Amino acid sequence: MRQERAVRTRRLILEAAASVFDEHGYEGATINQVVARAGVTRGALYFHFTSKRELARGVLAEQFGRTDVPRRHCRLQEFVDLGMLVAHLMPRDPMLSAGARLSLGRHPLGEPEGGASPGWIKRVEALLEAADEAGELLPHVVPAETAWLMTGAWTGVRIQSHKTADRSDLEHRVAVLYRHLMPSISVPGVLAALDLGEDRGERVAAELAQARASGTPDRA
């Protein structure tokens, strides 16, 4: 019971920290704000996280567990589903939104490697490598290069959507990005079967929620 309580407290602190970082950024956020938002003592917070930097790193790590996508027969559909799921969740989930904000700027966490970006690139590369093994990619495609390019392009779309539409059109813009990219990497037979609808992320999120409710998640 003590261990379960500790896990719940840690999650509560991370949720509070994400909302504070999302609202105020790394420099503007304070430990006192997180403590007040979480409704815990400073001692409880410091038991789990030794500093604001550790809190921010915890938020960056937590976002990856929120975006597992269901396993598909078509591995490129998983590649699309990941980007569309994140586009759907980011305006709605402070953990993802805060993670994106913490990954930009002048590396306030002392992370010259770019915050969460390497993790996203690695994850996208793994999906593309699986698609390559399944014969779904055109011969010229190099998964590592495409993963880097797609992650950078997705980030640019997110930033532009935030500046021009407060992210209200993010799912539409990301869907357009995939419609432009996929013909250049996918074999024609797979391309014709891909679901690139701008509501794809919403439908994947609903699928995941149903799987969690039934206790039988099936994720890649």
Side-chain angles (χ1 to χ4, degrees):
M1 291 181 63
R2 183 178 302 175
Q3 184 177 9
E4 291 177 1
R5 185 164 58 248
V7 170
R8 288 196 300 269
T9 300
R10 186 180 189 276
R11 181 167 296 278
L12 186 65
I13 292 169
L14 278 175
E15 296 282 355
S19 64
V20 171
F21 285 133
D22 192 32
E23 292 172 16
H24 303 286
Y26 181 79
E27 295 296 340
T30 68
I31 292 292
N32 285 339
Q33 289 171 326
V34 177
V35 166
R37 189 75 55 93
V40 301
T41 65
R42 289 177 68 89
L45 185 147
Y46 283 122
F47 176 81
H48 293 279
F49 303 97
T50 60
S51 64
K52 185 170 77 168
R53 179 173 293 182
E54 287 300 314
L55 264 176
R57 287 174 174 165
V59 169
L60 287 172
E62 183 73 11
Q63 63 185 312
F64 294 107
R66 293 171 177 251
T67 53
D68 291 332
V69 295
R71 182 66 178 268
R72 312 292 185 193
H73 292 299
C74 176
R75 306 312 298 270
L76 276 181
Q77 187 65 64
E78 294 175 33
F79 168 68
V80 172
D81 286 356
L82 176 61
M84 293 306 301
L85 177 64
V86 176
H88 175 71
L89 293 178
M90 186 163 286
R92 299 166 173 83
D93 188 341
M95 193 71 69
L96 288 172
S97 186
R101 183 168 183 174
L102 290 169
S103 295
L104 297 176
R106 304 187 67 175
H107 311 301
L109 307 185
E111 307 284 356
E113 65 272 19
S117 296
W120 287 114
I121 293 171
K122 184 177 180 180
R123 188 166 176 189
V124 171
E125 183 178 350
L127 290 174
L128 289 169
E129 287 175 346
D132 192 28
E133 292 174 3
E136 297 174 3
L137 297 182
L138 293 170
H140 70 275
V141 177
V142 179
E145 293 180 353
T146 303
W148 195 101
L149 177 65
M150 184 60 186
T151 304
W154 199 106
T155 300
V157 167
R158 179 186 63 78
I159 293 172
Q160 192 70 3
S161 173
H162 184 83
K163 288 182 176 179
T164 60
D166 196 26
R167 298 186 297 198
S168 63
D169 64 348
L170 181 58
E171 291 175 84
H172 167 70
R173 298 299 180 186
V174 172
V176 171
L177 173 63
Y178 277 109
R179 290 172 197 152
H180 279 74
L181 173 71
M182 299 312 292
S184 69
I185 70 170
S186 174
V187 298
V190 171
L191 177 63
L194 290 176
D195 185 341
L196 303 175
E198 61 185 70
D199 66 338
R200 180 66 182 176
E202 181 179 5
R203 287 185 277 122
V204 173
E207 182 182 352
L208 290 171
Q210 184 176 9
R212 285 192 293 268
S214 66
T216 56
D218 181 16
R219 301 181 183 180

